[in-house]
Amino acid sequence: MKNVPPPAQELAIIDQELVRLDARRGQLLTRKAYLLNLRAQPAPPWAQPVARSFAPPAGTSSPGAQNVLLMLGGLLLAVAAIAFTLVSWGHLGIGGRAAVLTGVTVLTLAIPVPLLRRGLRSTAEAVAALGLVLTVLDAYALYRVALPGTDGLGYTAAATAVLAVLWAGYGTALGGLRGPLPAAVLTAQLPLTLWALATGSTPLTVSWALLVTAALDTALASRTGSRTVRGFAGVAAGVTAAGALLVAGGLSVSAVTPPAALRPGALLLAAAALGLLAARRAGALAPVCSAVAGLAGIAAVGAVVRTAVPDGWTAPGYLLCAVALSTVVRTRLPGPVVRGLAGAAGLVAALSVLWALPAVAVALLGGVAAIPEIWTGVPAVPWPGRPTAPVVLLTAAGALAVSAYGPYPGARDTGAGVGARDGDGAGSRGGVSAVPRTLALCGSLALGWAGVLVLPLALDAPYPVRVAVPALLTAGALAVVGGPRVPGGPRVPGGSPVRVTALVCALAGSAGGSLMSLGGRAATVTTLAVLSALFAVAALARVTAHAAETAGTTEATEAVRIRAVLACTAVGYTTALVTAACAAAGLSVETTAVAVLVVPAAVALLAALPSTRPLAAPIEITAAGAGLLAVALASGRASVLALVLALCGVIAAGTAVRAERRTVAGYTATALFVLATWVRLAASDVPVPEAYTLPVTLPALAVGLLRRRRDPEASSWTAYGPGLAASLLPSLLAAWGDTHWSRPLLLGVAALAITLSGARLGLQAPLVLGGTVLGLVALHELAPYVVQAVGALPRWLPPALAGVLLLAVGATYERRLKDARRVRRSLGRMR
């Protein structure tokens, strides 16, 4: 009989065994991975037995591990040398100190020679780095022992210069070492700057020292054959030149007199020359170098101009320097250099234009101040005080125009001349793509327009001039939009963006001019009349002669879109003209509402013409807005509102004569007529609307019956909807407010009969209208009893009943959904 331990003890034993098994499993897995690694990397044949038994893990003898070990060894030796210099220095005499330093340094610097001969380059690099550190310690020890009283900055400048020369010579002598020459380049950045700081020089002298250092780095980068040295020298040149430019730029900006601006300006010009020289050998960085050179030159000359001209002419001064630079770069310089200089000029020009944009915003939106006090005098425009804004805008526009029509910067003249075609068929000059020229044309047009727009405000011109200039600019922009071809520009690539730019300028200028004209009645009416005429003429004229010949092409489609925008704008300004003219004549608001309907009526007639057929939809939608304005103006008097609604119905009915508008305009006319009838009845306080609606309903139903006999496929809504709605809906409104029982009863009986007739004959309109009216009448009659019953019930019962109803509907949701779909299909089959 076996002795079985208690369960608790047995569980402990099992746990211990499992732990031992897990440990053994881990050992076996580790050994398996090691053996697999050995099989993947077999040892040489002569070392097979040793490799199988005692081979270390792979990777410990790789070059990376060797470099790490050498680096750590060199670092430890450098730390030991520093500790010796700082701690044990005082225990030796002067001769001992000199002997130890000299011997250790010379020995360390000599060791890489045999190492390089044996091919141990990594070891030689580590020892050489230690030797360079020891030379720094030698310089520090020399200062502490022999020259303790000298100036620290001055001695450091001299020491760094000597060390840079020594390291450069050492690296050149031992060409196999890669560290000494870059270290010499980095150390050479310090001597001139530290010398300038040690002598207590001005910031300008320090910046000159930085610039000279950058020039030396540039010369080294352009002449050395080592790619590593070239990279270090190039980065060092960029850093030191940036420091020099920052210091000189700050001094240039803060200068208040021309002589004070000339001193940093000379440094900036020297930096610009250095940048141009570097750009010729900078490869991919040539545009950056030339751009920095261009900015430095503009800053130098612009600062002198700024200090010589009155206040407010700073932006024009810098802009003129940028324009001058853009003309200078039209030479046979390398393309990357020219692009960088042109980019610098463009950046300065863009900043100048941004400085002038607030004046343009005031010229466009300054008339908003006249809206609260319309026709009370000249509006007070919040001028930002920038009288030279027109000069900046017009100068930038002229420069862009010259760049658009002159040789493109950096392009080689191939003699192609005006109208030459490039590879993709776009017009170009000198073999250059038309896209930059098109953009220049657009910018020139927009900036020229903005400059002229701002000019009256800058000159404090009289109020009539302020109102007339935007109108004249709008006329000029519309002439460009409607012109047959953009002068001097390519037809398809350049014409479209230029026309769109001109269109935007025309829209913005007209809006600004109309706002500015709100100061006086005559000015407002005259401006709106001129703008309406301009946009109407531009919309009715051909946008391009070529578009009319190529119907269906992309250009023709674009022309139609532009004409649509012009036509809608003309409709909008005409509506504003009619409203302003009526208000200026002292007419009442209701009379003005009726007069505004002239606009949608005229649009309905124009839309029917074949020449304006492509523009019919947009201008009709815009005219509908004019109709809504008329309804809003007439809403104060019910009688006038009924008249306006009826006139709108007449216009819609006239539009419905056209086959393509029959459905939409027909329904709209019916709804407007019904609304006009209701409003008229309500305005006349008619107690029995049926006396007026039934005489209309019966002929309408007769006409609908004849229509259905002639065309069985005609919809019941078209045949019977207007007649039934003309009587049922006014009667429903009257019954809703009637306290007697006779009208609801008669209306309910009539609605029930109409509903049954619609269901029997399969007609959708009688069924829907009759059922809706019957349900509303029943709700009206049952409402008092429902309210009374709800008031008598406990307050908890209505929510409980609603919850039960929701549960029932949710439980039978799918069936209810099918029923709803069946009802919808049944209604859809009805006519």
Side-chain angles (χ1 to χ4, degrees), residues 769-793:
L769 286 176
T772 302
V773 172
L774 181 61
L776 292 176
V777 170
L779 178 63
H780 174 266
E781 294 302 314
L782 293 177
Y785 302 102
V786 172
V787 172
Q788 183 178 2
V790 170
L793 292 175

Side-chain angles (χ1 to χ4, degrees), residues 496-507:
S496 172
V498 173
R499 285 194 177 92
V500 172
T501 303
L503 178 61
V504 173
C505 292
L507 295 175

Side-chain angles (χ1 to χ4, degrees), residues 484-570:
R485 185 171 181 269
V486 178
R491 296 186 67 176
V492 176
S496 172
V498 173
R499 285 194 177 92
V500 172
T501 303
L503 178 61
V504 173
C505 292
L507 295 175
S510 62
S514 59
L515 288 174
M516 187 64 67
S517 67
L518 295 179
R521 287 182 172 83
T524 302
V525 175
T526 304
T527 301
L528 293 176
V530 171
L531 294 177
S532 302
L534 289 175
F535 279 97
V537 170
L540 296 177
R542 292 186 305 172
V543 177
T544 59
H546 183 64
E549 301 171 0
T550 57
T553 62
T554 303
E555 187 176 355
T557 304
E558 177 193 351
V560 171
R561 292 175 181 174
I562 293 178
R563 293 181 66 188
V565 174
L566 295 173
C568 293
T569 307

